[in-house]
Amino acid sequence: VNKGLTIIHVHLTWPLYYTAIMRTLLDFCLIYTEHNTHNRRRNLLWLRPLEKWIYNRLEKVVCISEATKTALEKWLNDDQISRRIITIENGSRMLVMKKRANIAGKPINLVSIGSLTEQKGFDVALKAVAKLTDLVNKYTIVGEGVERKNLEMLVNKLGLKNKISMPGFCKNIEPYFHKADLLLMPSRWEGFGLVAIEALSTGLPIVVSDVPGLRNIVSPCEATFFCKPNDAELLSNAIEHAIQNLVGKQIISKVARSHAEQFTIDKMISRYISLYKELAYQ
Protein backbone atom coordinates (compact mmCIF):
# COMPACT_ATOMS: atom_id res chain seq x y z
CA VAL A 1 0.00 0.00 0.00
CA ASN A 2 1.16 3.53 -0.80
CA LYS A 3 0.91 5.06 2.71
CA GLY A 4 1.95 8.49 1.50
CA LEU A 5 -0.72 8.71 -1.19
CA THR A 6 -2.95 11.79 -1.23
CA ILE A 7 -6.15 11.41 -3.23
CA ILE A 8 -7.99 14.54 -4.37
CA HIS A 9 -11.44 13.93 -5.84
CA VAL A 10 -13.09 16.90 -7.58
CA HIS A 11 -16.52 17.38 -9.13
CA LEU A 12 -16.72 20.85 -10.70
CA THR A 13 -15.01 22.44 -13.71
CA TRP A 14 -12.87 25.10 -12.02
CA PRO A 15 -11.57 22.75 -9.29
CA LEU A 16 -10.76 20.27 -12.08
CA TYR A 17 -8.72 22.83 -14.02
CA TYR A 18 -7.00 24.18 -10.90
CA THR A 19 -5.99 20.78 -9.49
CA ALA A 20 -4.86 19.50 -12.89
CA ILE A 21 -2.52 22.49 -13.20
CA MET A 22 -1.32 22.05 -9.59
CA ARG A 23 -0.25 18.50 -10.42
CA THR A 24 2.67 20.00 -12.31
CA LEU A 25 3.98 21.21 -8.93
CA LEU A 26 2.65 18.75 -6.34
CA ASP A 27 2.42 14.98 -6.10
CA PHE A 28 -1.09 13.65 -5.54
CA CYS A 29 -3.61 11.29 -7.10
CA LEU A 30 -6.38 13.15 -8.94
CA ILE A 31 -9.89 11.84 -9.65
CA TYR A 32 -12.72 13.69 -11.35
CA THR A 33 -16.42 12.81 -11.53
CA GLU A 34 -18.13 13.60 -14.84
CA HIS A 35 -21.79 14.42 -14.17
CA ASN A 36 -23.43 15.10 -17.50
CA THR A 37 -23.62 14.05 -21.13
CA HIS A 38 -23.23 17.66 -22.27
CA ASN A 39 -21.77 20.95 -21.07
CA ARG A 40 -21.12 24.37 -22.58
CA ARG A 41 -17.39 23.71 -22.95
CA ARG A 42 -18.12 21.13 -25.62
CA ASN A 43 -19.66 23.80 -27.82
CA LEU A 44 -16.17 25.32 -28.14
CA LEU A 45 -14.06 23.05 -30.33
CA TRP A 46 -10.94 25.12 -29.66
CA LEU A 47 -11.16 23.96 -26.01
CA ARG A 48 -10.70 20.29 -26.92
CA PRO A 49 -6.85 20.31 -26.91
CA LEU A 50 -6.87 22.01 -23.50
CA GLU A 51 -9.43 19.52 -22.18
CA LYS A 52 -7.30 16.64 -23.42
CA TRP A 53 -4.33 18.04 -21.51
CA ILE A 54 -6.47 18.49 -18.37
CA TYR A 55 -7.97 14.99 -18.49
CA ASN A 56 -4.55 13.48 -19.15
CA ARG A 57 -3.53 14.75 -15.69
CA LEU A 58 -6.10 12.44 -14.03
CA GLU A 59 -5.58 8.96 -12.64
CA LYS A 60 -9.27 8.16 -13.07
CA VAL A 61 -12.38 9.78 -14.48
CA VAL A 62 -15.58 8.51 -12.91
CA CYS A 63 -18.74 8.87 -15.03
CA ILE A 64 -22.13 8.68 -13.34
CA SER A 65 -23.68 6.66 -16.18
CA GLU A 66 -22.65 4.76 -19.29
CA ALA A 67 -24.19 7.54 -21.39
CA THR A 68 -21.98 10.10 -19.66
CA LYS A 69 -18.93 7.92 -20.33
CA THR A 70 -19.79 7.51 -24.02
CA ALA A 71 -20.31 11.25 -24.48
CA LEU A 72 -17.01 12.11 -22.76
CA GLU A 73 -15.05 9.58 -24.82
CA LYS A 74 -16.57 11.00 -28.00
CA TRP A 75 -15.63 14.54 -26.97
CA LEU A 76 -12.01 13.75 -26.02
CA ASN A 77 -11.41 11.13 -28.74
CA ASP A 78 -8.29 9.91 -26.97
CA ASP A 79 -7.65 6.19 -26.38
CA GLN A 80 -5.14 6.84 -23.62
CA ILE A 81 -7.66 8.85 -21.59
CA SER A 82 -10.48 6.40 -22.37
CA ARG A 83 -8.57 3.64 -20.57
CA ARG A 84 -8.83 5.70 -17.37
CA ILE A 85 -12.57 6.35 -17.63
CA ILE A 86 -14.90 4.16 -15.56
CA THR A 87 -18.58 4.23 -14.64
CA ILE A 88 -19.87 4.37 -11.09
CA GLU A 89 -23.58 5.09 -11.20
CA ASN A 90 -25.02 7.66 -8.83
CA GLY A 91 -26.50 6.51 -5.58
CA SER A 92 -29.86 7.80 -4.40
CA ARG A 93 -31.52 8.02 -1.02
CA MET A 94 -34.57 5.80 -0.75
CA LEU A 95 -37.53 7.97 0.24
CA VAL A 96 -40.63 6.76 2.04
CA MET A 97 -42.87 4.75 -0.26
CA LYS A 98 -46.48 5.89 -0.38
CA LYS A 99 -49.44 3.64 -1.08
CA ARG A 100 -51.07 4.92 -4.27
CA ALA A 101 -54.84 5.11 -4.54
CA ASN A 102 -56.62 4.42 -7.83
CA ILE A 103 -58.01 7.81 -8.84
CA ALA A 104 -60.12 6.40 -11.71
CA GLY A 105 -61.22 9.24 -13.95
CA LYS A 106 -60.23 12.14 -11.68
CA PRO A 107 -57.79 14.84 -12.82
CA ILE A 108 -54.26 14.02 -11.68
CA ASN A 109 -51.50 15.95 -9.93
CA LEU A 110 -48.19 16.24 -11.77
CA VAL A 111 -44.80 17.18 -10.35
CA SER A 112 -41.39 18.10 -11.77
CA ILE A 113 -38.31 18.81 -9.69
CA GLY A 114 -35.12 20.43 -10.93
CA SER A 115 -33.33 23.66 -11.73
CA LEU A 116 -35.28 26.09 -13.87
CA THR A 117 -32.92 25.90 -16.83
CA GLU A 118 -33.19 25.12 -20.53
CA GLN A 119 -31.79 21.62 -19.89
CA LYS A 120 -34.80 20.54 -17.82
CA GLY A 121 -37.38 21.26 -20.54
CA PHE A 122 -40.13 22.56 -18.26
CA ASP A 123 -41.30 24.87 -21.05
CA VAL A 124 -42.15 21.75 -23.06
CA ALA A 125 -44.01 20.30 -20.08
CA LEU A 126 -46.12 23.44 -19.70
CA LYS A 127 -47.11 23.30 -23.37
CA ALA A 128 -48.05 19.63 -22.96
CA VAL A 129 -50.15 20.34 -19.86
CA ALA A 130 -51.97 23.09 -21.78
CA LYS A 131 -53.26 20.36 -24.11
CA LEU A 132 -54.56 18.29 -21.17
CA THR A 133 -56.36 20.78 -18.95
CA ASP A 134 -59.29 18.40 -18.31
CA LEU A 135 -56.92 15.62 -17.19
CA VAL A 136 -54.62 17.70 -14.97
CA ASN A 137 -55.66 19.11 -11.61
CA LYS A 138 -52.32 20.67 -10.63
CA TYR A 139 -48.78 20.76 -12.02
CA THR A 140 -46.07 21.69 -9.51
CA ILE A 141 -42.55 22.58 -10.64
CA VAL A 142 -40.15 22.60 -7.68
CA GLY A 143 -36.87 24.40 -8.24
CA GLU A 144 -35.20 27.70 -8.97
CA GLY A 145 -33.12 29.07 -11.82
CA VAL A 146 -32.53 31.54 -14.61
CA GLU A 147 -35.60 30.47 -16.62
CA ARG A 148 -38.14 31.36 -13.91
CA LYS A 149 -39.33 34.59 -15.56
CA ASN A 150 -39.65 32.95 -18.98
CA LEU A 151 -41.60 30.04 -17.50
CA GLU A 152 -43.92 32.39 -15.60
CA MET A 153 -44.57 34.33 -18.81
CA LEU A 154 -45.34 31.06 -20.61
CA VAL A 155 -47.77 30.04 -17.84
CA ASN A 156 -49.68 33.32 -18.35
CA LYS A 157 -49.58 33.01 -22.14
CA LEU A 158 -51.01 29.47 -22.00
CA GLY A 159 -53.72 30.45 -19.48
CA LEU A 160 -52.45 27.98 -16.89
CA LYS A 161 -52.14 30.26 -13.87
CA ASN A 162 -54.73 28.30 -11.86
CA LYS A 163 -53.08 24.95 -12.56
CA ILE A 164 -49.37 25.69 -12.13
CA SER A 165 -47.45 26.07 -8.88
CA MET A 166 -43.76 27.07 -8.80
CA PRO A 167 -42.78 27.17 -5.10
CA GLY A 168 -39.04 27.59 -5.71
CA PHE A 169 -36.15 25.62 -4.27
CA CYS A 170 -37.01 23.17 -1.49
CA LYS A 171 -34.69 20.83 0.45
CA ASN A 172 -37.46 18.44 1.49
CA ILE A 173 -38.93 17.21 -1.78
CA GLU A 174 -40.49 14.00 -0.43
CA PRO A 175 -43.92 15.59 0.29
CA TYR A 176 -44.15 16.75 -3.32
CA PHE A 177 -43.67 13.18 -4.55
CA HIS A 178 -46.29 11.94 -2.09
CA LYS A 179 -48.88 14.47 -3.24
CA ALA A 180 -48.34 13.70 -6.92
CA ASP A 181 -49.73 10.98 -9.16
CA LEU A 182 -47.05 11.24 -11.85
CA LEU A 183 -43.55 12.72 -12.26
CA LEU A 184 -42.62 14.58 -15.46
CA MET A 185 -38.94 14.79 -16.39
CA PRO A 186 -38.88 16.37 -19.88
CA SER A 187 -35.12 17.01 -19.94
CA ARG A 188 -33.31 17.93 -23.14
CA TRP A 189 -30.26 16.06 -21.80
CA GLU A 190 -29.28 14.31 -18.55
CA GLY A 191 -26.20 12.61 -17.18
CA PHE A 192 -28.13 10.34 -14.83
CA GLY A 193 -31.51 11.58 -13.62
CA LEU A 194 -31.38 11.38 -9.82
CA VAL A 195 -34.87 12.86 -9.44
CA ALA A 196 -36.29 9.98 -11.47
CA ILE A 197 -34.80 7.43 -9.04
CA GLU A 198 -35.98 9.41 -6.00
CA ALA A 199 -39.50 9.54 -7.44
CA LEU A 200 -39.50 5.82 -8.20
CA SER A 201 -38.37 5.09 -4.65
CA THR A 202 -41.69 6.56 -3.39
CA GLY A 203 -43.65 4.34 -5.79
CA LEU A 204 -44.40 7.21 -8.18
CA PRO A 205 -44.61 6.38 -11.91
CA ILE A 206 -42.67 8.66 -14.24
CA VAL A 207 -42.74 10.08 -17.76
CA VAL A 208 -39.25 11.00 -18.91
CA SER A 209 -37.43 12.16 -22.03
CA ASP A 210 -35.81 9.46 -24.11
CA VAL A 211 -32.29 10.87 -23.73
CA PRO A 212 -29.19 8.71 -23.11
CA GLY A 213 -28.57 9.43 -19.41
CA LEU A 214 -32.17 8.71 -18.43
CA ARG A 215 -32.60 5.81 -20.84
CA ASN A 216 -29.62 3.94 -19.35
CA ILE A 217 -30.95 4.31 -15.82
CA VAL A 218 -34.71 3.72 -16.02
CA SER A 219 -35.38 1.97 -19.34
CA PRO A 220 -35.96 -1.52 -17.85
CA CYS A 221 -38.57 -0.18 -15.40
CA GLU A 222 -42.26 -0.78 -16.17
CA ALA A 223 -43.20 2.27 -14.06
CA THR A 224 -41.58 4.45 -16.72
CA PHE A 225 -42.85 5.80 -20.02
CA PHE A 226 -40.47 7.48 -22.46
CA CYS A 227 -41.10 10.41 -24.76
CA LYS A 228 -39.02 12.10 -27.44
CA PRO A 229 -37.50 15.29 -25.96
CA ASN A 230 -38.55 18.80 -26.95
CA ASP A 231 -41.95 17.75 -28.34
CA ALA A 232 -45.01 18.96 -26.40
CA GLU A 233 -47.47 16.98 -28.52
CA LEU A 234 -45.70 13.69 -27.89
CA LEU A 235 -45.29 14.54 -24.21
CA SER A 236 -49.03 15.16 -23.83
CA ASN A 237 -49.67 11.77 -25.47
CA ALA A 238 -47.19 10.16 -23.08
CA ILE A 239 -48.98 11.69 -20.08
CA GLU A 240 -52.29 10.30 -21.34
CA HIS A 241 -50.71 6.86 -21.74
CA ALA A 242 -49.34 7.04 -18.20
CA ILE A 243 -52.73 8.04 -16.80
CA GLN A 244 -54.34 5.03 -18.44
CA ASN A 245 -51.64 2.47 -17.71
CA LEU A 246 -49.45 3.55 -14.78
CA VAL A 247 -51.16 6.00 -12.44
CA GLY A 248 -52.77 4.62 -9.28
CA LYS A 249 -51.77 0.98 -9.82
CA GLN A 250 -50.25 -0.78 -6.79
CA ILE A 251 -48.23 -3.19 -8.91
CA ILE A 252 -46.64 -0.21 -10.69
CA SER A 253 -45.68 1.35 -7.34
CA LYS A 254 -43.98 -1.89 -6.26
CA VAL A 255 -42.12 -2.15 -9.56
CA ALA A 256 -41.00 1.48 -9.21
CA ARG A 257 -39.60 0.94 -5.72
CA SER A 258 -37.86 -2.29 -6.70
CA HIS A 259 -36.11 -0.59 -9.60
CA ALA A 260 -35.00 2.37 -7.47
CA GLU A 261 -33.35 0.02 -4.97
CA GLN A 262 -30.73 -0.86 -7.59
CA PHE A 263 -29.25 2.62 -7.07
CA THR A 264 -28.72 2.96 -3.32
CA ILE A 265 -26.10 5.24 -1.78
CA ASP A 266 -24.51 2.22 -0.07
CA LYS A 267 -23.88 0.55 -3.42
CA MET A 268 -22.28 3.69 -4.80
CA ILE A 269 -20.07 4.11 -1.71
CA SER A 270 -18.92 0.49 -1.94
CA ARG A 271 -17.73 1.06 -5.51
CA TYR A 272 -15.89 4.26 -4.58
CA ILE A 273 -14.16 2.49 -1.70
CA SER A 274 -13.02 -0.21 -4.12
CA LEU A 275 -11.68 2.47 -6.46
CA TYR A 276 -9.71 4.21 -3.70
CA LYS A 277 -8.26 0.90 -2.54
CA GLU A 278 -7.25 0.05 -6.10
CA LEU A 279 -5.36 3.32 -6.38
CA ALA A 280 -3.78 2.99 -2.94
CA TYR A 281 -2.41 -0.50 -3.66
CA GLN A 282 -0.96 0.30 -7.09
Side-chain angles (χ1 to χ4, degrees):
V1 61
N2 184 353
K3 294 183 179 179
L5 179 69
T6 297
I7 296 176
I8 297 180
H9 191 160
V10 296
H11 291 261
L12 301 174
T13 300
W14 291 118
L16 167 64
Y17 276 44
Y18 174 77
T19 50
I21 293 169
M22 289 303 297
R23 282 211 68 201
T24 62
L25 303 173
L26 301 173
D27 184 25
F28 56 86
C29 175
L30 183 57
I31 305 171
Y32 178 64
T33 295
E34 191 78 27
H35 287 276
N36 223 325
T37 55
H38 178 73
N39 58 53
R40 286 175 293 180
R41 305 194 308 276
R42 296 181 196 173
N43 294 329
L44 307 172
L45 291 180
W46 59 266
L47 261 182
R48 182 177 283 154
L50 174 60
E51 292 257 297
K52 284 189 177 185
W53 184 88
I54 293 290
Y55 280 85
N56 256 314
R57 309 298 296 165
L58 304 169
E59 264 73 32
K60 290 288 183 181
V61 183
V62 179
C63 293
I64 64 170
S65 68
E66 282 298 314
T68 303
K69 181 175 183 287
T70 299
L72 179 61
E73 289 176 334
K74 182 179 179 180
W75 162 244
L76 295 173
N77 191 26
D78 187 303
D79 291 339
Q80 184 177 349
I81 301 174
S82 291
R83 286 192 287 271
R84 304 176 198 170
I85 302 175
I86 64 171
T87 299
I88 297 179
E89 291 165 335
N90 262 345
S92 172
R93 55 188 172 167
M94 294 293 107
L95 302 178
V96 174
M97 185 174 175
K98 182 186 177 185
K99 186 175 181 180
R100 305 283 167 183
N102 192 331
I103 59 171
K106 297 180 182 178
I108 70 166
N109 294 317
L110 303 171
V111 68
S112 291
I113 296 177
S115 58
L116 306 185
T117 59
E118 180 188 7
Q119 175 189 353
K120 299 303 180 180
F122 297 142
D123 55 320
V124 181
L126 290 172
K127 293 172 185 176
V129 169
K131 299 175 183 293
L132 301 169
T133 52
D134 292 339
L135 298 178
V136 176
N137 175 52
K138 198 81 174 176
Y139 177 31
T140 302
I141 304 175
V142 183
E144 198 53 78
V146 295
E147 286 295 307
R148 170 173 281 277
K149 181 176 282 190
N150 289 335
L151 292 173
E152 289 174 341
M153 290 173 60
L154 183 58
V155 168
N156 290 330
K157 180 180 178 181
L158 295 171
L160 293 174
K161 198 168 183 179
N162 294 331
K163 288 189 179 288
I164 307 301
S165 173
M166 297 173 61
F169 173 79
C170 181
K171 286 186 177 180
N172 183 17
I173 59 174
E174 186 177 73
Y176 290 101
F177 290 135
H178 287 174
K179 292 175 185 176
D181 302 299
L182 184 68
L183 173 85
L184 298 187
M185 200 165 179
S187 306
R188 291 182 167 93
W189 69 87
E190 284 288 344
F192 180 84
L194 187 61
V195 168
I197 299 300
E198 289 178 326
L200 290 171
S201 77
T202 70
L204 188 66
I206 63 178
V207 171
V208 302
S209 292
D210 190 5
V211 293
L214 281 169
R215 187 189 314 124
N216 291 158
I217 301 304
V218 298
S219 59
C221 179
E222 294 179 9
T224 301
F225 193 76
F226 286 96
C227 176
K228 180 181 177 182
N230 214 25
D231 191 317
E233 184 70 37
L234 291 179
L235 180 56
S236 66
N237 293 340
I239 294 169
E240 286 193 81
H241 172 91
I243 290 171
Q244 295 169 9
N245 297 283
L246 304 180
V247 171
K249 294 180 169 34
Q250 290 302 312
I251 185 63
I252 292 298
S253 289
K254 291 177 181 178
V255 165
R257 177 69 182 203
S258 178
H259 184 82
E261 287 173 349
Q262 298 178 49
F263 301 96
T264 64
I265 290 174
D266 285 346
K267 289 179 181 178
M268 179 188 70
I269 290 173
S270 177
R271 295 197 63 191
Y272 272 113
I273 289 172
S274 296
L275 171 61
Y276 297 149
K277 285 181 176 179
E278 174 192 330
L279 293 170
Y281 280 91
Q282 282 183 352

